[in-house]
Amino acid sequence: MEGREDLGLLVRAGWILLSANRAAETEVFVRRATAAAQTDPEKLYALNFAWLFYLQVRRHAEALALVDAGAALLGPESAAALRGETFSEAGRYADAAREFRRLPPGSPLWLDNANDLAWCEWMCGNTARALEAADAAVAHNVTKSPRTNRGLVRLDCGLYAEALEDFEAERKADPAGPNAYSNIAVVLCMLDRYTEAMDSLEQGFLRSPVPEGVKEQMKKSFVGIKKRIREAKTPAE
């Protein structure tokens, strides 16, 4: 053990460098961490560090190759979960869904990845499967916006009141963020609640990262649009 590098310090140093956008130097620490790992738990730790690094810098092919090389160490379910997340990040949603489906439904790993599975199934047009996974993600309280994903699936299924409930929950969780407001506006339009839809769209726009001068100009536009909506006598108008 004498002269061996400290794996924990290497990983922490690597993350600090990556957070400073110094990817090339981070990769040096990825290699050093891999070389320093001796026991199986240490190898798993180093493998996960390397996989996350490749995912962060969008080198998806290398991330997948790393998972394949370490499949025996990871085990079939963990390997499938990492492949699924990698494919999802790469926009290969059908491949991602295929990997996530390898996980036993209801298992801890399946539940941890239920939100990603819901998104991938939805992107593939599998709304029934997407809704099942989205319900599980919300019930399991996963951290990556499960209510937004379920809201989108519900919207696609024509479940407008239920979709609105999800988007309102996301708005309450992050009132400063603009995305929930635009999703709420879409649902309100589907419910023929046009004035409320424009109010929500305006609130979302005013929270978006655009110059203040543009926001001021758009405020005037919203006033005129909402006036025309109030004066309209039919949905077509």
Side-chain angles (χ1 to χ4, degrees):
M1 298 288 290
E2 189 175 345
R4 178 182 162 198
E5 292 193 283
D6 186 300
L7 179 58
L9 287 176
L10 291 172
V11 171
R12 286 194 291 275
W15 282 121
I16 291 168
L17 287 167
L18 190 59
S19 67
N21 295 317
R22 294 162 64 176
E25 292 165 89
T26 304
E27 190 167 9
V28 173
F29 280 84
V30 168
R31 294 194 184 113
R32 286 169 63 182
T34 301
Q38 300 296 316
T39 66
D40 283 352
E42 289 176 344
K43 290 176 182 177
L44 276 172
Y45 184 43
L47 188 155
N48 274 282
F49 170 47
W51 173 76
L52 284 166
F53 164 72
Y54 288 129
L55 217 60
Q56 288 280 325
V57 297
R58 303 191 61 78
R59 287 161 58 178
H60 301 120
E62 288 165 275
L64 287 168
L66 186 71
V67 173
D68 289 340
L73 186 64
L74 287 162
E77 292 179 17
S78 292
L82 294 185
R83 285 193 200 98
E85 191 166 347
T86 307
F87 282 132
S88 180
E89 288 288 332
R92 295 170 57 179
Y93 300 116
D95 291 325
R98 184 194 67 233
E99 293 297 332
F100 287 137
R101 288 182 207 138
R102 298 182 192 275
L103 305 174
S107 67
L109 264 180
W110 187 90
L111 289 169
D112 286 344
N113 290 277
N115 197 46
D116 282 337
L117 172 60
W119 177 260
C120 294
E121 296 285 15
W122 182 62
M123 292 297 290
C124 294
N126 304 323
T127 51
R129 282 178 168 173
L131 192 54
E132 178 187 6
D135 282 339
V138 172
H140 188 55
N141 196 30
V142 299
T143 57
K144 289 166 61 178
S145 301
R147 298 296 290 263
T148 295
N149 275 8
R150 189 173 70 174
L152 292 169
V153 178
R154 284 174 159 180
L155 177 61
D156 203 23
C157 293
L159 302 170
Y160 302 131
E162 293 86 346
L164 184 59
E165 178 188 330
D166 279 330
F167 294 143
E168 286 285 9
E170 285 293 306
R171 181 186 62 79
K172 289 175 184 175
D174 182 20
N179 294 335
Y181 294 90
S182 57
N183 287 330
I184 289 169
V186 172
V187 180
L188 291 172
C189 278
M190 301 305 294
L191 294 169
D192 297 336
R193 293 161 59 180
Y194 302 109
T195 302
E196 293 171 83
M198 286 305 301
D199 286 338
S200 185
L201 196 62
E202 181 179 13
Q203 290 180 61
F205 178 78
L206 295 178
R207 286 167 171 77
S208 62
V210 298
E212 287 300 319
V214 175
K215 289 182 181 179
E216 288 301 318
Q217 291 176 357
M218 287 303 297
K219 279 184 186 179
K220 297 174 185 177
S221 298
F222 277 115
V223 170
I225 293 168
K226 286 190 284 188
K227 182 176 183 292
R228 288 200 298 274
I229 290 172
R230 285 194 298 269
E231 293 171 349
K233 295 180 176 57
T234 67
E237 292 181 287

